[in-house]
Each structure stands twice: as structure tokens, then as C-alpha cells.
Amino acid sequence: MKFETPAKTNPIDNLKVVGQPIHRIDGELKTTGRAMYAYEWHDPNLHYAYGYPLGSSIAKGRIKSMDVAAAEAAPGVMSVVTTLSVGELGKGKLNTAKLFGGDEIQHYHQAIAVVVAETFEQARAAASLIKVEYQEESGTFDLAEAKMSAVKPKDTDGAPPDTAVGDFDGAFYAAAVSMDETYTTPDQSHSMMEPHASIALWHGDELTVWTSSQMIDWWRSDLATTLGIDKEKIHMMSPFIGGGFGGKLFLRSDAVLAAIAAKATGRPVKVALPRPLLVNNTTHRPATIQRIRIGADKSGMITAIGHESWSGDLPGGGPETAVMQTRLLYAGENRMTAMRLAELNLPEGNAMRAPGEAPGLMALEIAIDEMAEKLGLDPIEFRILNDTQVDPEKPERPFSHRNLVGCLKLGAERFGWNDRKKPGARREGNWLIGLGVAAGFRNNLVMPSGARVRLGNDGVVNVETDMTDIGTGSYTIIAQTAAEMMGVAVDKVGVHLGDSRFPISAGSGGQFGANSATSGVYAACVKLREAVAMRLGFNSDDVVFENGEVRSGNRSVPLAAAAGAEGLVGEDTMEWGDLTDTHQQSTFGAHFVEVGVDLATGETRVRRMLAVCAAGRIINPITARSQVIGAMTMGVGLALFEELAVDTRRGFFVNHDLASYEVPVHADIPYQEVIFLDETDPMSSPMKAKGVGELGLCGVSAAIANAIYNATGVRVRDYPITLDKVIGDLPEVA
Amino acid sequence: MRAFTFERASSVEAAAKSVASNPDARFIAGGTNLLDLMKLEIETPTHLIDVNGLGLDKIEATTDGGLRIGALVRNTDLAAHETVRRDYGLLSRALVAGASGQLRNKATTSGNLLQRTRCPYFYDTNQPCNKRQPGSGCSALGGISRQLGVMGVSEACIATHPSDMAVAMRALDAVVETVKPDGTIRSVKIEDFHRLPGDTPHIETVLERGEFITAVSLPPPVGGRHIYRKVRDRASYAFALVSVGAIIQSDGKGRVAVGGVAHKPWRLEAADVELPKGAKAASGALLAGSRPTEQNKFKIDLVERTLGAVISEARG
């Protein structure tokens, strides 16, 4: 099915199941420990071996030699496969740095060997016995230093690095009120709970991989390329994922090492990346330096807006697209954006939750707060004044649906925004209290997504798709979609995900999963409905699927009866027309935060948070809320403590564990409230839904930064906003 | 982690002898630090002597009116003990500011005193670290040092001692009781227990090989307001950037120990004397001669400000 015209009324609009607050159908499996994560698959008939990876101890250079004799002789060791012994391997299309093979070291903790032993402990002990001789080369590790040599990158996902409309320079210099500030965001780590892990097993030339992947088909394709085998020979499964946040979008070394180790030993091999390897062996969100210039007339109308961003990556990599939201979020006749990319020899930079918009809004939404203050306007009023209903770079493109103003107004009312005082004016005991707001904005992406739906003669509908559930609730919303379409209760639907034998789906990423994958299930269900109608001799135009029955006119048949002995199958892939070109599809929000800043220590603690989201139809308010509060939590971390500390001498992220890379703990997270505006977007899909998971993050950190400013009068433009950046400007302690 | 043999000690003396006779042996109690270090190959013992069953888990009043805390008393039990809460509130507050409930359930009094630094370079075996590999150099100097020490540092090491409990013990003038492998016992004042790094940062305490901590005793209670203020980026489950443990009497006199600034809990008599004059005077004396890095110089200001807040709270 191709979605080419805005959705009309369809069976989803009945909202008997879709839109209902249904608890996760896989919740019991997870809370009872029966949901099998990658490393946990255990077939008692298989004799597993354990692989332990070794990471490079230098950031750049070549391996001259590796001495594995002691490791090979260690107890329980079956095989030591090194990056030299395996020779050059292919590189996945979506990988910037190679994952294994050859003597070249491109980054710290790059995988250089895997030791396979009878037990995990034996493999780990033996890995430490490998001696490596390197030819170390100097590299570039400091973005601030490399900024001068940054170049214009090629297009990113079809978007050009630079855009310009009107006469930015002229309008900026002529503006009655203007601001020009630079902001920085650090390298950040996904830090998902479940590490990357894979089990590989060969049968002849056929490879089975259990792994933890957000995107089954991407992994499968890139694993085939890396190993130089036919993709069809790989069976990949990832039914449960303990968090990804973008860190599991692309093939990682655990799958490659497991496959190679399994080949070398003839045994099924389990490989999990140890936590200290996660940060430097896998990907991270790259640091940015962002310059924002805004000019406005005295009434507060933006006349010029410019956003430039610098980031770095390994050769062949791409920029952090931090200027994207600035092309779309606010009006203004004269505009420019530009991205520049420096070559850095740090580990590979790549997507982390809301790539582009998350760090971009961390800067832009402070700038908006600063500009509003300069204009003497309330920051909400300033945003409303500069709202746009069309793509400001291409005014012929309207937004499909945009209610940023509604989010801001409702949020202000619910949060008590009018109680906000002047900076530094509100104190409770030792706490300086401040309120902050930021706009939330994230584009709504759609991806082709397939599904197969089987109706059995027991009336049960089974859905098969390689869609993944990274903790988001995919199982549940897919069950809701199939239940709504086939007119059955949600407990009459079985959902089977994350298996390369199933139709290729959107996968999970870029907040495109929920809308795209349910649309694919919708398409497959349309096929199944047609098959049911045909089998029953019904006119498919007026057939109604309801309460486990199929009705046409005054005829009614139990759905189970229509299935026949062998059942019926519907399979289809949702594809997308040009509605995303003719209309700008985005999601909108408003984030409100109250913080307390300790007068003496400068410690910031968040006291209240509210997100108001306008993201089309909410398929399940429970799972959507979980997505948003999780994202808000991540926003607290990015605002206040998350920073991969770069050792610019040796070229690696020093704080590579969860003790030293601090993410929020329960004590950091206060009362969180989420409000979804009741809306639909018929341009987005037959579901009339849009993404929401990443919207929950976009803008949160800037709202916190703005709240800290309101509390203290101290404006910090370099994240994370740790106490050392604040205390110098706080009042004396009595 | 290397393969290791394991024995349960039958007596304190046997445990001490066992470690003394084997350079690759270690005592293990709660294991909350040692096991992590073994997994990362930072510690590579080949023999572990489990001392959990030695009956050293009692908290008893001493004849002089103080308190004797068995070496194996768990942090949770110590923090919750009625006498500790009533008479040594600083200790209780410092303990619950550290780690998590699960860790405190396992962590012991002596193990807490002996925990190793959290310097990130100590934790990465690819990097030079004089503490982990004597003579290899200090990566933290000129590297990432925001968490690290400003007082008593050396060219060889700028690591800090990460304990909260030890800061309280220092303010309370605790005494560490030990048994040596030859059976002799000694008492070491907490101020003398931890060493500054100097040229030998791998030697962290005055304990001799095999010397075993049996108890930590506290002098009779001194009264006053007991305040422990731990400053950190996130609200819980993080090591202190700085911490201030203070006991302040109604006349403004008192004592103050600081964590997160040195290789040991940091207290100076000269600073205690200045306390009645206020935070500026006391922290000036406490941190005189500091040698911060560009990344951790904020700690100087932070100690003063935090102490200021503590003094205000004590007065309030």
C-alpha cells in the first residue's frame, strides 16, 4: 500500500482499541524475567562457548604484532581470533569505522581480538594475556582545535549542509535588537542498560544470530557485507532489546566477533561488550559548537535568524545535524544555517536519541530565551509571535499540522508560568528557584514498513514483522492496530517481532517506529480483510469487522469461521508518497521545568517538569507517556551532568563506565507530567499518528538551562550545567 | 579477573598470616570494591581469604564511654545503630550519603576505609597510573582531573580517597585497631592511617602486609551539631566533588573534615581553630597551599561555600 493522499475515515478511527490506555502486553514477560534478551538465549541442547573482546589501547595507528601464545595456553581457551589473523573484512554500509579485521586502528577500544573459552571468566582472564605492539600515530581529538579546519560536509539524509534565504547579514546588522552567542554541547553516550550482545551459531554456511538490534535488516545487511556472505544466509533475531537510543541502529562488533568466533570454534558463541568498552567501541553523539545569531524588530518579530554548527567525526563520517530545527521552527524572512565537519580521531559519532534536534534545541532554545529577555518579552509570547504555519525556507510548503502555540499556552496555564519571577528573585531557604520553558520540536519521519497478518481458525490474529521493541511498546501498539482492524480484542492478537524471517519493517529509530510500523500492520490487515471478505463472498466495501464477527448487510459470520481450516494471510508493506515533500511533518511540544539551585554549592535539582505534546493521534497514552517521561529524564541528564570527557592527548573518552558517566538516578527525577493535545494528522499515515518518543527529549535541556538562569541570573551556554560553571557568579554565602 | 583460590579464615591471626605469606593474597569482606577491581584486572589476587565469618560484626560500648565498631559491621547496620544515630550523627549521615542501599548492605567498616580511588585513569589498565602500576606515570596530571585532589597531591598522583564514612571518622577522631601477622595488636589514629601519595601512591595506608583491621573505635561523644554535606553533580549514587563533615558546638567552636580533596580525609587542627571566625577563615586554613588543576580549582571555592552553608545550618 502506498500512502499518497491524506487519510480519510478508516477502521482505526473507531478507537475501540487504538488510543486506549492498554498496559504492555509483554509487561508480564518482562517483570517475571521470561522475556529473553540477546545474551540470555539458552538452548540446553547447545554447548555454548564464550567470547571476550579485547579493545585497542591506542586511538590511532597500526598493530605491528600480537602475541597470543599465553592467551591460547590459558585454561579453557579454544581459540583466539585477532584482527590480524582474520585479515581485512568488509565494512558495513552504515558503519563509519570498521568493526574488526586488518592492522589499522581508527579509534580507542576498537575491537582487535576475541578470545573464545568454555566459560566467560576463562575468556576474560585470557584476553588480558594478549600482548600487542603498536605503531602509534598522532591524531586530532579536540573539536575546539579542529574547528578551524572543518569543511562543508556532503548532504545528510538528503538535507544540504547550508541553507540561506533572503539577506541574513544585512537584516542581522540592521536589526533593532540582536544577539550573537556561542553554545557548546559535549559528546554524549547512549548508556542503555543492556549492553551490545550477540550469540552466533553456524549450520554449514548458514548463520543464526541472536542479538540486540534496533534495525534487523540494517544489521543483517551490514553483517553480510562485513563477513562477505549472502544476506539470505543470515537468520537474525532480536525480539527484546534493553534500550538502544540509537546506539543499536547500526551493526556493532559484538555480532561480528560472535560470528567469527563461532566459525573458528564450530560452537555457538556468546559475546557481550563489557561496559567499559561500550563508550569507545561503539558510537556516541558528537559534541557540537553552535553559533546562533538572531535579529528582531522592536515588536519582537524575528527579521534574521542564523545557526551554524561545528562537529567532528572520523573520516567518512557525518555531522551532528544541529541546525535542522532552526530551518523550520520560527518565522523570519532572512535566514541562514550552516554545518561544518571536522576530522577527529575519536570513536565514531552517530545517531543518539533525536539526533540533530536534541543538541540543536539545547542551543537554540537558550538563544530564544536570551532574545526574549533582550526584547523585554515573555519567552512564550516571543515564541508565539514568531510562530509559522509554513516551512519558513519554502513558504509554499505548509506544515501538515502544527500546534506549537497550543502546547505553549496550555502548558503555561497548567504549570503556573505566570508565577515566574525575575532572575534571582525567588528564594526558599537555601534554594534559588526558577522556572524555564522551551519549545519542543522534532520532525516526523516515515519509513517503509511491512507486516504479515495470519488469521487462524481459532479466531486469533498473529502479526509477524521484523519491527523491534526497544522498550517502547511496539508489541502493544501493533496488537492494538491489528485488533482494531480485525475487530477483535487485544488478547486475540499475537505479536511476533524482531526476526529476519518476517517482513522488513521500519525498525526503531528517529521516532519513526510507532507510526510507520503500525501503518505497515494496517496495510497487511487491509489485505487480510479483503481475503476474509472474499472468502465469505462479502462486498469488501461495506464489510464491518467488530466484536470478533464479520458483518455485511444483515449477514454476520464469526471471524474464526472465515479463516477456514488452513487460515488466511494478509501481507503488505506501507510505502510513502510525496506528502512528506509537499507538507512539512513535524511534532511539537512545550517543556516546562522548575529547578532549585543550591545557593551555596550551585547544585541544580529539578523540582517539577511538564511536557505538552502535539504529535498527532496517540496510539496508546500509557506507552506514549512512558516514552515522554523517559525522554524528559534523559533531558535532565544532558542538561546537568552527561559529558564524555575527552582526553585530548590520548584520544579517548575517559569516563567509560556508569560510575563516571553520570545519568540521572531516581533521586534526580521529580514529579513529571505529560499532556497530549487531542489531535490527529491525516497527512502522516492511516494511523493519523506521529512520532513522540524523541519529542519528549527535544527542548528539555534548554528549559532546564533557562530555569537555572531564572533561578540565579547566571547564563551558562556550555553543557552540562555543572555547579562549577555557576558558583562563581552566585551570591556570597552568609 | 584471574582465577583465584579461596579460603574462609578460621581466626583473625590465621587470616593475617595467610595474607602475609602470599604476596598475591587479599582479604575479602563485602567485596563491593575488590570484585569490581578484579574484573577489570586492576587487582589480580590469586588467593582470597574470606573474613566475613570472624565474628567482627559487633558494635559495643567501650569502658571510656566510646564505641567500638567491629571491622565487619556493615555500613547499613552502622548507620542505623541507635547509639551512632544519637551520639555520632555525623557518621550515620556520612554513611547514608554514600553508595546505594544494596552496596551499603554488603560494604564493611574496614573495607570502606580501604576502598581504592575512583580516578578514571586508575580504572583503565591501558593508561599509565603510578597507583596501579608504580613508575608508569600519572595520566591524570594534564588529563581529566575534575574529580581529583587539590591538597597533598604529588607529581606522582592526584587521586582522592572516595569514602564518605572516612571523612566522618576523621572528624570523630576514630582509632583503627589492627592485628599484625605476628599476633601483635596496635591502634592507629585515623589521621595517621591513610598516607599522602608522595612518590609511592600505591601504598595507601600504614598497614603492613597481612595486618588486619579488627575494629574502629570512637572516643566518647563530643556533642554539638553533626552535619555532613556531600556535594555532587547528581542527587545520589555519585562520589563527592567535595564533602564537608563538621561538628559544631553552640559556642561556634568545632571541627571540620573534608572529603573529595585529597588522598585521605582532610582535616587540620589549624582549620578547626579558625572555625569560630567563619567559613572563609577555616577553609583558608584548611586549603592553604592547595595545588589544584585547571579542571578542579573550583573545589577551593566550593569547600568554602559549602562550609559556609554548614556553619549557617549549625547556627540555625
Side-chain angles (χ1 to χ4, degrees):
Chain A
M1 180 182 288
K2 193 163 189 180
F3 185 71
E4 294 181 288
T5 55
K8 300 194 179 67
T9 300
N10 67 42
I12 296 296
D13 293 318
N14 289 331
L15 298 181
K16 287 194 165 176
V17 193
V18 168
Q20 299 304 314
I22 292 170
H23 286 280
R24 275 165 211 258
I25 63 171
D26 53 333
E28 190 180 327
L29 283 180
K30 288 187 171 173
T31 53
T32 56
R34 285 178 294 146
M36 298 285 269
Y37 290 81
Y39 203 76
E40 298 173 333
W41 285 90
H42 200 84
D43 179 342
N45 298 314
L46 289 177
H47 192 193
Y48 294 94
Y50 295 82
Y52 194 85
L54 181 68
S56 164
S57 63
I58 66 163
K60 189 170 189 300
R62 292 193 178 274
I63 297 179
K64 285 160 71 176
S65 66
M66 297 178 77
D67 178 356
V68 298
E72 282 177 337
V77 172
M78 282 176 272
S79 179
V80 179
V81 182
T82 73
T83 193
L84 301 182
S85 68
V86 78
E88 291 291 338
L89 295 175
K91 182 164 78 68
K93 195 176 94 180
L94 299 170
N95 294 129
T96 302
K98 62 174 189 165
L99 299 177
F100 194 55
D103 67 346
E104 186 191 359
I105 299 300
Q106 294 179 299
H107 62 88
Y108 193 73
H109 274 172
Q110 177 179 316
I112 59 170
V114 57
V115 177
V116 193
E118 294 290 347
T119 70
F120 170 81
E121 287 77 12
Q122 288 170 333
R124 182 172 60 185
S128 70
L129 301 175
I130 297 173
K131 292 189 179 66
V132 187
E133 203 183 338
Y134 297 97
Q135 179 74 51
E136 197 166 357
E137 294 166 19
S138 63
T140 307
F141 308 117
D142 187 346
L143 176 62
E145 213 169 81
K147 180 178 174 237
M148 297 300 287
S149 61
V151 298
K152 189 193 284 195
K154 58 182 192 288
D155 290 6
T156 302
D157 299 330
D162 292 5
T163 57
V165 176
D167 172 16
F168 171 79
D169 285 335
F172 180 71
Y173 290 114
V177 180
S178 65
M179 61 88 61
D180 178 355
E181 294 290 353
T182 297
Y183 307 83
T184 63
T185 63
D187 297 285
Q188 296 157 348
S189 174
H190 307 89
S191 300
M192 74 296 280
M193 191 66 89
E194 182 203 24
H196 298 77
S198 294
I199 305 172
L201 170 63
W202 292 86
H203 285 291
D205 64 350
E206 295 193 348
L207 174 64
T208 304
V209 181
W210 292 262
T211 191
S212 183
S213 158
Q214 297 176 229
M215 306 291 289
I216 297 292
D217 192 57
W218 290 4
W219 278 58
R220 188 181 181 218
S221 302
D222 275 352
L223 183 58
T225 303
T226 305
L227 299 175
I229 64 174
D230 183 357
K231 171 179 167 178
E232 298 305 318
K233 298 285 187 188
I234 300 175
H235 175 203
M236 185 169 276
M237 284 170 281
S238 183
F240 292 101
I241 296 115
F245 308 120
K248 294 172 181 168
L249 283 171
F250 315 111
L251 177 72
R252 298 310 316 165
S253 61
D254 55 301
V256 177
L257 297 177
I260 288 172
K263 191 89 178 174
T265 57
R267 294 263 294 269
V269 175
K270 296 188 172 197
V271 175
L273 295 187
R275 182 65 65 179
L277 230 63
L278 275 178
V279 163
N280 289 284
N281 181 267
T282 74
T283 60
H284 65 279
R285 190 205 302 278
T288 66
I289 300 169
Q290 302 179 48
R291 181 189 186 193
I292 297 178
R293 287 174 288 171
I294 303 173
D297 65 22
K298 282 187 177 146
S299 73
M301 297 299 292
I302 293 174
T303 54
I305 183 164
H307 192 163
E308 296 153 87
S309 175
W310 290 260
S311 60
D313 203 358
L314 285 164
E320 178 67 32
T321 56
V323 306
M324 292 304 197
Q325 71 290 322
T326 308
R327 295 175 180 174
L328 292 162
L329 189 47
Y330 297 112
E333 285 193 5
N334 304 286
R335 17 196 345 122
M336 66 82 66
T337 67
M339 292 184 281
R340 292 295 176 265
L341 178 63
E343 202 170 288
L344 290 180
N345 302 107
L346 291 168
E348 176 177 337
N350 218 318
M352 180 167 144
R353 203 171 194 182
E357 280 103 329
L361 285 163
M362 287 170 81
L364 178 65
E365 288 298 287
I366 297 181
I368 292 292
D369 201 63
E370 297 196 65
M371 192 65 190
E373 187 179 39
K374 281 196 166 191
L375 287 159
L377 289 173
D378 181 281
I380 292 177
E381 192 186 340
F382 180 51
R383 287 180 174 92
I384 291 173
L385 199 56
N386 289 286
D387 187 49
T388 174
Q389 291 296 315
V390 298
D391 175 347
E393 290 188 347
K394 298 175 188 120
E396 70 280 9
R397 289 180 76 228
F399 281 92
S400 60
H401 185 79
R402 170 171 168 139
N403 196 4
L404 174 61
V405 171
C407 294
L408 289 163
K409 284 184 170 168
L410 181 62
E413 183 192 315
R414 293 291 181 88
F415 201 68
W417 180 252
N418 287 340
D419 297 339
R420 190 178 74 130
K421 307 277 191 293
K422 286 193 172 8
R426 186 174 157 203
R427 185 172 166 180
E428 293 177 12
N430 291 326
W431 293 99
L432 300 168
I433 311 299
L435 304 186
V437 67
F441 176 89
R442 170 73 172 143
N443 279 338
N444 179 58
L445 310 173
V446 287
M447 298 271 279
S449 198
R452 187 158 53 224
V453 189
R454 300 176 189 275
L455 173 63
N457 60 14
D458 52 1
V460 172
V461 176
N462 275 290
V463 186
E464 296 172 344
T465 163
D466 86 350
M467 179 61 188
T468 50
D469 188 328
I470 56 175
T472 41
S474 304
Y475 278 102
T476 310
I477 60 172
I478 284 172
Q480 288 174 269
T481 304
E484 194 77 63
M485 290 298 288
M486 302 312 299
V488 298
V490 82
D491 62 5
K492 293 288 184 198
V493 180
V495 181
H496 311 275
L497 302 182
D499 192 315
S500 61
R501 293 172 298 191
F502 302 152
I504 295 170
S505 74
S508 299
Q511 77 170 16
F512 52 65
N515 183 40
S516 301
T518 54
S519 294
V521 174
Y522 172 94
C525 287
V526 168
K527 284 275 173 69
L528 181 58
R529 287 165 61 109
E530 288 167 1
V532 168
M534 185 179 289
R535 164 113 3 133
L536 297 175
F538 287 178
N539 176 356
S540 64
D541 287 344
D542 65 3
V543 70
V544 175
F545 290 73
E546 204 171 48
N547 301 326
E549 293 182 336
V550 195
R551 287 202 317 272
S552 179
N554 53 11
R555 288 180 60 201
S556 175
V557 179
L559 187 61
E566 69 280 20
L568 286 171
V569 179
E571 179 172 341
D572 203 359
T573 294
M574 179 59 81
E575 291 172 289
W576 307 94
D578 66 355
L579 287 173
T580 53
D581 300 324
T582 58
H583 294 75
Q584 177 55 40
Q585 295 188 19
S586 303
T587 62
F588 303 89
H591 288 287
F592 291 81
V593 175
E594 178 178 310
V595 303
V597 179
D598 188 292
L599 184 65
T601 65
E603 291 163 298
T604 295
R605 301 290 179 244
V606 178
R607 292 159 52 112
R608 285 194 295 145
M609 305 180 84
L610 165 67
V612 184
C613 302
R617 170 175 286 150
I618 299 303
I619 299 171
N620 181 331
I622 292 179
T623 57
R625 179 179 182 277
S626 290
Q627 281 295 287
V628 174
I629 63 172
M632 291 157 80
T633 301
M634 185 178 263
V636 172
L638 301 187
L640 298 180
F641 15 86
E642 292 187 43
E643 174 176 22
L644 288 171
V646 184
D647 187 317
T648 56
R649 306 162 305 174
R650 305 220 53 212
F652 74 110
F653 299 122
V654 171
N655 50 340
H656 47 66
D657 60 38
L658 290 177
S660 50
Y661 183 87
E662 292 184 13
V663 297
V665 295
H666 285 288
D668 291 300
I669 303 305
Y671 181 70
Q672 294 174 316
E673 190 182 355
V674 182
I675 300 171
F676 295 110
L677 295 190
D678 188 7
E679 63 171 42
T680 56
D681 191 339
M683 299 279 183
S684 72
S685 77
M687 304 299 295
K688 303 173 188 170
K690 294 193 279 200
V692 73
E694 297 183 336
L695 177 65
L697 170 61
C698 291
V700 174
S701 303
I704 293 169
N706 295 337
I708 291 171
Y709 175 74
N710 182 243
T712 63
V714 182
R715 182 68 78 179
V716 180
R717 302 183 182 87
D718 301 293
Y719 291 97
I721 308 174
T722 45
L723 57 89
D724 42 305
K725 296 171 186 169
V726 177
I727 49 170
D729 295 311
L730 290 181
E732 290 286 309
V733 180
Chain B
M1 185 186 277
R2 306 289 169 87
F4 58 88
T5 49
F6 180 85
E7 70 171 284
R8 287 212 169 84
S10 54
S11 70
V12 168
E13 292 73 19
K17 277 206 176 71
S18 190
V19 164
S21 65
N22 180 352
D24 293 321
R26 297 275 189 286
F27 302 120
I28 182 164
T32 58
N33 194 201
L34 181 63
L35 291 176
D36 282 349
L37 296 170
M38 287 169 67
K39 289 173 188 172
L40 295 166
E41 303 253 339
I42 295 160
E43 296 258 19
T44 53
T46 57
H47 185 62
L48 292 183
I49 295 131
D50 179 356
V51 297
N52 283 297
L54 296 178
L56 301 171
D57 55 357
K58 313 280 187 303
I59 301 174
E60 301 156 327
T62 58
T63 50
D64 69 351
L67 203 64
R68 187 167 186 275
I69 303 156
L72 274 295
V73 171
R74 307 291 154 173
N75 287 177
T76 296
D77 297 330
L78 182 56
H81 192 269
E82 188 184 348
T83 310
V84 174
R85 287 172 55 129
R86 187 186 63 221
D87 295 335
Y88 305 96
L90 181 63
L91 178 57
S92 191
R93 290 177 186 123
L95 280 161
V96 298
S100 67
Q102 288 162 313
L103 287 166
R104 294 194 296 268
N105 287 343
K106 289 295 289 179
T108 63
T109 306
S110 54
N112 191 314
L113 287 178
L114 295 173
Q115 64 181 299
R116 314 287 312 268
T117 185
R118 298 287 166 165
C119 174
Y121 295 98
F122 177 71
Y123 268 77
D124 188 334
T125 52
N126 291 326
Q127 306 304 325
C129 170
N130 287 321
K131 186 183 279 297
R132 178 168 30 77
Q133 197 183 344
S136 61
C138 175
S139 304
L141 276 169
I144 301 300
S145 59
R146 181 169 177 266
Q147 284 276 349
L148 302 179
V150 299
M151 296 305 301
V153 295
S154 72
E155 288 304 308
C157 184
I158 60 171
T160 51
H161 193 266
S163 170
D164 293 298
M165 184 196 81
V167 175
M169 291 291 196
R170 180 69 184 90
L172 291 165
D173 285 330
V175 174
V176 182
E177 299 176 14
T178 71
V179 173
K180 291 187 187 182
D182 65 4
T184 57
I185 59 170
R186 67 165 169 163
S187 297
V188 182
K189 289 186 195 167
I190 186 77
E191 63 184 285
D192 300 325
F193 183 77
H194 293 101
R195 294 162 42 105
L196 290 178
D199 296 333
T200 54
H202 60 292
I203 304 172
E204 295 171 346
T205 69
V206 298
L207 291 178
E208 294 169 17
R209 182 80 204 155
E211 187 172 0
F212 182 80
I213 300 173
T214 51
V216 177
S217 58
L218 299 176
V222 296
R225 289 286 301 271
H226 289 222
I227 299 171
Y228 189 76
R229 181 69 169 89
K230 181 174 183 178
V231 183
R232 43 189 161 179
D233 291 323
R234 67 180 171 194
S236 181
Y237 202 45
F239 296 96
L241 289 166
V242 307
S243 65
V244 172
I247 300 172
I248 297 177
Q249 307 294 342
S250 52
D251 61 2
K253 291 182 181 165
R255 39 175 92 177
V256 58
V258 176
V261 299
H263 207 245
K264 59 194 287 185
W266 195 251
R267 180 179 166 203
L268 295 174
E269 305 303 326
D272 288 354
V273 170
E274 298 291 318
L275 259 185
K277 294 185 198 158
K280 200 172 197 68
S283 87
L286 196 60
L287 302 182
S290 65
R291 287 170 60 195
T293 67
E294 191 57 32
Q295 290 180 11
N296 68 19
K297 64 183 183 189
F298 72 92
K299 289 190 175 188
I300 308 299
D301 194 18
L302 185 57
V303 168
E304 183 187 320
R305 299 183 69 94
T306 307
L307 180 57
V310 165
I311 292 171
S312 296
E313 187 184 337
R315 284 179 188 148

